[in-house]
Amino acid sequence: MLVDIVPVGNVPANVKRAASSALRSVYDCDVTINDAQSVPNGAYDADRNQYAAETFIQLAERIGRGEKNIAVTPHDLFYRRRNYVFGLAYLDGSGSVVSTYRLQTSSDGGFSNQSASDIFQDRVRKEIVHEIGHTYGLEHCDNNRCVMNFSPTVREVDIKEENLCGSCQRLVR
């Protein structure tokens, strides 16, 4: 299985490395990193001062070279009526997106003594693994330690682990 990371906008090298290593570690897949892309036309919503997540997924599906493709962007994303999303993927689809915008907040809920940089990279890794999990057909998991647990805030992201629980892992294999 090949997963292609599609950077959209100015995505730092450390974010691309974190995403790539997490995907290889959890899904044992091949990972490539595509050329940086511009924000898709029509993605920006001036009323919200945010970008529509679906347009980034469509870009990843169109540009990506993998069976699974994930756009990664520093831009703030929304989906339908939600105030924001860390990422979005369609179940069993080929495209997905993760935004690093809200993963950079300073609060980690008091769970670690890690640096802000390490906390940020952990969050990126978890959200990348989470969204690609949806493309593998995984739904949200009730286990709050599983990476597939729904995480509406960074506090919940920080609580969960980077890996799939046993139940979710069996569904992927």
Side-chain angles (χ1 to χ4, degrees):
M1 175 72 69
L2 174 64
V3 178
D4 194 21
I5 296 170
V6 180
V8 182
N10 186 17
V11 179
N14 66 332
V15 169
K16 293 183 265 191
R17 280 192 304 271
S20 177
S21 67
L23 291 169
R24 285 186 180 101
S25 169
V26 174
Y27 296 111
D28 192 29
C29 59
D30 294 320
V31 179
T32 54
I33 299 177
N34 212 307
D35 296 332
Q37 303 294 314
S38 299
V39 172
N41 289 335
Y44 184 68
D45 184 320
D47 291 337
R48 295 183 65 129
N49 193 30
Q50 290 177 301
Y51 296 82
E54 302 100 321
T55 61
F56 288 75
I57 293 175
Q58 292 160 2
L59 175 67
E61 289 173 335
R62 196 171 60 252
I63 300 295
R65 301 173 297 230
E67 288 101 317
K68 306 291 182 190
N69 304 290
I70 186 159
V72 179
T73 186
H75 297 293
D76 194 17
L77 301 178
F78 74 93
Y79 178 64
R80 296 187 178 160
R81 293 190 177 155
R82 295 198 181 180
N83 290 337
Y84 65 89
V85 292
F86 298 135
L88 184 68
Y90 300 131
L91 217 52
D92 292 317
S94 65
S96 54
V97 62
V98 166
S99 165
T100 61
Y101 185 83
R102 293 180 187 260
L103 299 177
Q104 299 180 66
T105 60
S106 59
S107 172
D108 73 344
F111 288 103
S112 75
N113 299 335
Q114 292 180 300
S115 70
S117 173
D118 288 346
I119 291 168
F120 171 67
Q121 287 204 17
D122 282 350
R123 291 173 180 166
V124 168
R125 293 168 62 91
K126 291 172 185 177
E127 290 307 304
I128 293 284
V129 170
H130 179 96
E131 297 308 336
I132 288 295
H134 286 316
T135 69
Y136 276 104
L138 296 176
E139 296 187 30
H140 286 144
C141 180
D142 291 335
N143 180 340
N144 70 348
R145 305 293 285 170
C146 178
V147 76
M148 292 309 298
N149 186 258
F150 176 64
S151 307
T153 68
V154 291
R155 180 174 167 77
E156 283 93 357
V157 174
D158 291 337
I159 291 170
K160 66 185 179 182
E161 296 173 1
E162 182 181 314
N163 297 306
L164 300 167
C165 69
S167 299
C168 288
Q169 202 166 30
R170 282 188 290 280
L171 293 172
V172 171
R173 301 287 175 227

